[in-house]
Amino acid sequence: MTFQQVYGYEPTVRYSAPGRVNLIGEHTDYNDGYVLPFAIDRRTVASIAQRDDRVLRVASAFDPSSVVELPLDELSPDRMDGWSAYVFGIAWALREHAGADLSDKHGFDVFIESDVPVGAGLSSSAAIECGVALAFNDLWELGLDRKTLARVGQYSENHAVGAPTGIMDQSASLLGEQDAVVFLDCRTLDTAVVDLALEANGLEVLVVDTRVEHAHATGGYKARRDSCEHGAAVMGVEALRDLSVEDLPRAAELLDDETFRRVRHVVTEDQRVLDTVRTLREDGPRAIGDLLVASHESMRDDFEISVPELDLAVSTAMEHGAVGARMTGGGFGGAAIALVDREARGAIAEAVTSAFAAAGYREPTVFTVHAAQGARRD
Ligand code: GLA
């Protein structure tokens, strides 16, 4: 299905935006902490043409039979549901959050297609949001910068889609660069691009999509976020980012055991991001393996967001010679990553697939990703 088949004419522009993998720094973004994601070479493409009236129409290759439309004057979260909220929500958030005046703007016909796997924790939703945000910003000549567009994407995800997520995914999708990770301070949105240098080191990142579905709008993700806010309040800080490893003994005294372990994950994870950045700069990617594994263990034991499939992917990859491995993204399913020698990739992928079969788990999807450029006009 294409734009042409749905709307009967050709689009005038195409924008695309990538999904992301987080190298390290999980559940730190909404604690004002540090993250280190990269944009991947799996993208969502938005094909667009301007309309003469003030109606937005959206269709997608996932659901080609339905074309949904909404007049710009009726944008509001209760008029959006399903995946179209990722598109309508951006127009709404540009107005509500970034103060864009849409009163004299034209609508668009939009068609979305994507090769970012949905439900794998690789930010297929942020890829739609960011491609559309960049497109609307350009086509409506709003003049917003990419950091503001990331905030717009997050605002839409939080209030139009209804998932209480942080700023990481949209930042990675908008700010990613080839062969590099985005070091982001989620409080200030200051960023630095850090060389990954995988190719020069004979390394690759393997993604193991467990195909265990996760849903962030409900349940565990919000519960973790609430625990973190509770922990910060008891510790008397604005956000867990304001604590360091030296504060943990005091946290152990003041907090109940569960909240303490949630806090310990976030505080040590922030430190691991800083350590990873330093290690990448000084010693290169081969030296970050232990940090990745420590991050996984912290998510498994302290934050309790892993699932047996993710643990098996990580342990099997490590047993078969991966440099490092961890679950990536929000958890409760989704994907793990393994940093592997290029030559070992096939053997590690096979070992993981066999281990899943032996455990009676659904067959995982295993593939390599490369750090790619962020959202752009194609
Ligand atoms: C999801 C959210 C992000 C971040 C991660 C966990 O991907 O969308 O904002 O919180 O989980 O690191």
Side-chain angles (χ1 to χ4, degrees):
M1 212 55 181
T2 61
F3 183 104
Q4 217 282 337
Q5 285 164 323
V6 171
Y7 297 114
Y9 67 102
E10 289 295 335
T12 48
V13 282
R14 283 202 170 81
Y15 283 78
S16 71
R20 66 97 188 90
V21 150
N22 189 16
L23 185 64
I24 195 162
E26 225 65 83
H27 288 261
T28 46
D29 60 354
Y30 55 78
N31 290 301
D32 277 2
Y34 305 106
V35 293
L36 200 61
F38 60 91
I40 57 175
D41 48 349
R42 297 284 191 121
R43 304 182 78 84
T44 293
V45 178
S47 306
I48 302 178
Q50 186 170 302
R51 296 171 56 85
D52 294 332
D53 58 13
R54 287 179 43 76
V55 171
L56 265 184
R57 283 202 293 180
V58 296
S60 86
F62 341 113
D63 187 11
S65 60
S66 72
V67 181
V68 200
E69 60 173 73
L70 191 61
L72 287 177
D73 298 311
E74 293 172 29
L75 287 172
S76 119
D78 55 20
R79 297 291 309 277
M80 310 168 188
D81 58 6
W83 69 271
S84 64
Y86 295 112
V87 179
F88 293 141
I90 291 297
W92 172 76
L94 283 166
R95 191 185 71 201
E96 293 303 305
H97 184 67
D101 178 7
L102 304 186
S103 62
D104 60 346
K105 304 297 185 200
H106 290 265
F108 301 109
D109 285 341
V110 180
F111 183 77
I112 302 286
E113 44 202 321
S114 183
D115 66 359
V116 185
V118 172
L122 301 179
S123 298
S124 55
S125 55
I128 304 178
E129 290 158 1
C130 294
V132 167
L134 189 70
F136 289 0
N137 180 54
D138 275 5
L139 300 170
W140 281 334
E141 299 180 344
L142 302 177
L144 302 170
D145 64 20
R146 284 180 181 239
K147 288 180 187 174
T148 307
L149 295 179
R151 291 273 191 225
V152 163
Q154 183 196 9
Y155 191 84
S156 171
E157 178 91 31
N158 292 170
H159 302 288
V161 177
T165 52
I167 190 74
M168 169 169 72
D169 307 341
Q170 292 80 10
S171 302
S173 184
L174 282 157
L175 303 172
E177 289 190 21
Q178 207 146 357
D179 302 321
V181 276
V182 181
F183 174 35
L184 176 72
D185 178 331
C186 299
R187 173 168 279 167
T188 60
L189 290 198
D190 284 344
T191 53
V193 171
V194 181
D195 232 3
L196 249 185
L198 293 186
E199 189 157 350
N201 285 278
L203 294 172
E204 281 189 353
V205 173
L206 204 61
V207 171
V208 179
D209 174 6
T210 63
R211 298 167 74 212
V212 177
E213 295 270 341
H214 68 112
H216 287 163
T218 51
Y221 186 94
K222 182 169 186 310
R224 294 304 178 281
R225 196 172 170 151
D226 291 345
S227 292
C228 291
E229 280 164 17
H230 171 62
V234 173
M235 293 298 290
V237 289
E238 190 190 326
L240 292 184
R241 140 59 172 289
D242 298 310
L243 299 179
S244 74
V245 177
E246 285 81 60
D247 295 309
L248 288 177
R250 191 167 62 90
E253 278 168 27
L254 294 179
L255 301 171
D256 63 89
D257 174 63
E258 186 182 283
T259 310
F260 172 65
R261 288 184 296 111
R262 305 298 187 245
V263 167
R264 181 166 60 187
H265 165 71
V266 174
V267 171
T268 57
E269 186 79 351
D270 270 333
Q271 187 58 48
R272 280 186 289 271
V273 175
L274 299 175
D275 292 346
T276 303
V277 169
R278 185 178 28 80
T279 307
L280 278 175
R281 284 177 174 149
E282 288 174 5
D283 307 309
R286 238 171 231 287
I288 66 169
D290 291 347
L291 289 161
L292 301 185
V293 172
S295 168
H296 184 78
E297 288 168 351
S298 177
M299 289 189 281
R300 184 190 62 200
D301 302 336
D302 274 355
F303 219 58
E304 297 179 284
I305 53 171
S306 190
V307 294
E309 288 84 347
L310 289 166
D311 294 339
L312 184 64
V314 168
S315 61
T316 308
M318 293 309 294
E319 280 155 25
H320 289 80
V323 170
R326 60 186 287 280
M327 54 150 281
T328 187
F332 307 103
I337 53 168
L339 184 61
V340 303
D341 274 297
R342 203 179 304 132
E343 296 76 48
R345 179 221 300 152
I348 293 177
E350 252 170 56
V352 171
T353 306
S354 317
F356 270 55
Y361 298 156
R362 208 165 160 199
E363 187 178 350
T365 313
V366 186
F367 52 93
T368 305
V369 288
H370 298 100
Q373 201 201 338
R376 61 173 185 238
R377 181 172 175 154
D378 287 318

